[in-house]
Amino acid sequence: MPSALRQPQLFEPSLAACYTEPLANFTPPLIGGTPPLEAFKTARWRDAGWLKEDLSRFAEQYPGGDQRAVVSIWSKWHLSALTVPTLTANLLLNRDLPVGLDDMQVIFNDKGATSRLWLPHEGTPISTQDPFERFATLIEQHWAPLIEQLAAISGAAQRVFWSNAGGYLDFYVNALGEHPLANRQAFEAAKALLEARNLPNGKRNPLFQPVRHFTPKGSEEVKRVRKLCCLRYLLDEFDTCGNCPLEGCDLQARKHAKQVAK
């Protein structure tokens, strides 16, 4: 049944009650009631014109900046804000939040990036451990259509945005594993999603192993390195991030080559 037609459920504990321990510094989404005046429906991002307009406000911070990098960074703000509550509900409470593009609304911060979600209800019970079914609402109804639009608008490959999404999925799955309400079966399903090379239909899984975990020689700390770069180094305001696979490369040479190619 489409998520928009599902009936709201009452649960204990509430989603907001889970924002303790590793989630203590995060703000839970707004649930039900009348959305704030500043919130707007993400369904409008199915229209490229609306999405370009919403992205333009964020891009004002980087005048003349590479469009691929600007849109990638914007996507990281949005994907992070979306992934935290979705995984919290899925992995701790066994609930599927209504996070499809057609069901939710977002609130931007003063820079034009997603800062908070508004959701119509607390979600519906999840009755499967199949990794692709557990996360279908998030992946098929939000990530997939939005990433297609972002790639078309920015000129960056879709795999850049899937890598951004997968990076947050990997990070928050591991972070939430420390939560007292952690559901082991749900976590196994999430990890299986990240380890599956192919989708059930045989196509490549865009979320396959987005991050490599290893312990550098002489260190006791596990390091996370993304499979793909988020492209933020293409903007003069940034260097590489701490998880960049390009760490150690001559980024100035890369930037120069990019300018010459234009």
Side-chain angles (χ1 to χ4, degrees):
M1 181 182 296
S3 57
L5 300 180
R6 294 170 180 165
Q7 294 301 311
Q9 304 284 326
L10 296 177
F11 297 96
E12 291 293 340
S14 69
L15 180 62
C18 295
Y19 278 65
T20 60
E21 303 284 339
L23 295 173
N25 294 324
F26 292 90
T27 303
L30 299 168
I31 305 290
T34 303
L37 291 177
E38 65 269 28
F40 61 88
K41 297 179 180 179
T42 51
R44 78 189 198 182
W45 291 341
R46 293 186 181 277
D47 183 310
W50 270 112
L51 183 54
K52 286 180 181 178
E53 183 172 324
D54 290 335
L55 287 167
S56 66
R57 179 177 164 193
F58 183 77
E60 290 174 359
Q61 304 168 77
Y62 311 105
D66 190 292
Q67 181 79 345
R68 296 168 298 173
V70 171
V71 176
S72 176
I73 294 172
W74 179 91
S75 80
K76 292 174 72 173
W77 278 87
H78 179 71
L79 293 168
S80 178
L82 177 68
T83 303
V84 174
T86 304
L87 287 185
T88 299
N90 194 302
L91 302 181
L92 306 185
L93 302 176
N94 229 36
R95 300 180 205 166
D96 185 26
L97 287 186
V99 292
L101 277 179
D102 298 326
D103 300 324
M104 57 171 279
Q105 299 190 29
V106 296
I107 299 169
F108 275 0
N109 60 20
D110 59 356
K111 300 294 186 181
T114 301
S115 62
R116 200 171 188 186
L117 313 183
W118 176 90
L119 304 173
H121 57 81
E122 289 256 351
T124 55
I126 297 174
S127 59
T128 179
Q129 298 303 333
D130 180 276
F132 296 101
E133 292 181 15
R134 282 195 74 97
F135 301 96
T137 301
L138 174 66
I139 296 172
E140 297 175 13
Q141 298 181 34
H142 196 121
W143 283 355
L146 178 59
I147 285 173
E148 184 176 358
Q149 288 278 50
L150 292 174
I153 288 172
S154 67
Q158 289 192 29
R159 62 195 183 108
V160 171
F161 301 103
W162 280 112
S163 177
N164 291 345
Y168 285 123
L169 189 62
D170 173 271
F171 179 82
Y172 291 123
V173 164
N174 285 284
L176 287 169
E178 304 300 318
H179 198 285
L181 293 177
N183 178 329
R184 288 300 129 203
Q185 286 185 308
F187 275 83
E188 289 305 315
K191 291 177 181 178
L193 174 66
L194 294 169
E195 291 300 322
R197 188 178 294 274
N198 297 312
L199 300 173
N201 61 10
K203 293 183 178 180
R204 182 183 66 85
N205 176 15
L207 297 170
F208 173 61
Q209 294 183 348
V211 175
R212 181 167 61 97
H213 298 258
F214 71 99
T215 303
K217 186 176 180 179
S219 173
E220 296 181 356
E221 184 177 350
V222 176
K223 184 174 179 60
R224 300 174 71 253
V225 177
R226 291 166 51 113
K227 181 185 295 184
L228 294 174
C229 175
C230 69
L231 305 180
R232 78 173 205 165
Y233 78 89
L234 293 174
L235 298 175
D236 292 336
E237 292 84 354
F238 294 103
D239 200 338
T240 57
C241 68
N243 310 123
C244 185
L246 300 181
E247 187 176 7
C249 293
D250 188 344
L251 298 183
Q252 290 303 319
R254 286 175 176 266
K255 288 183 179 182
H256 176 71
K258 179 203 70 170
Q259 293 296 332
V260 171
K262 283 187 176 181

